[in-house]
């Protein structure tokens, strides 16, 4: 992936407020006009460079995170007061932030 795309993705993710989330697709939409790329490319950036930002604030379209990260993300969500569903997924209706 191009470095300018990765930097743009990380800038968007860095703007997500505590207690709110956005989706891989919404991040892709925010940067695609200038850089191209879609949700999978955003996921690749987050997997490689996401530790530099609040990675738990980017979730799948159904409000979930990949299983290996879910427990750690849930701890961050609870600490920040992010609205969660009883399933443990983020309540996107209440928590979604549009980049």
């Amino acid at each position: 992936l191009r470095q300018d795309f990765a930097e743009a993705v990380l800038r968007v993710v860095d703007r997500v407020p505590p207690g709110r989330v956005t989706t891989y697709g919404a991040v892709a939409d925010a940067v695609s006009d200038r850089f191209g790329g879609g949700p999978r490319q955003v996921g690749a950036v987050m997997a490689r460079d996401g530790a530099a930002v609040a990675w738990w604030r980017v979730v799948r379209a159904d409000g979930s995170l990949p299983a290996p990260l879910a427990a750690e993300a849930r701890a961050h969500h609870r600490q920040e007061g992010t609205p969660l569903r009883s399933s443990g997924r983020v309540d996107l209706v209440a928590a979604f932030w549009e980049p």
Side-chain angles (χ1 to χ4, degrees):
L1 291 171
R2 293 185 6 212
Q3 188 60 31
D4 52 351
F5 175 79
E7 290 171 1
V9 165
L10 296 175
R11 278 194 303 273
V12 169
V13 174
D14 202 37
R15 293 183 7 235
V16 180
R20 305 289 298 277
V21 298
T22 194
T23 63
Y24 294 99
V27 174
D29 289 346
V31 301
S32 65
D33 286 349
R34 187 160 176 216
F35 299 103
R40 289 177 191 253
Q41 288 77 23
V42 170
V45 169
M46 294 304 294
R48 188 184 67 223
D49 301 318
V53 294
W55 55 267
W56 58 91
R57 295 182 189 150
V58 182
V59 299
R60 293 176 177 157
D62 67 358
S64 68
L65 277 154
L69 302 173
E72 186 178 353
R74 243 180 255 109
H76 285 290
H77 291 307
R78 285 190 189 106
Q79 182 181 15
E80 293 184 356
T82 307
L84 299 174
R85 297 179 167 275
S86 59
S87 65
R89 293 178 178 180
V90 172
D91 182 346
L92 284 176
V93 172
F96 183 73
W97 178 82
E98 181 74 41

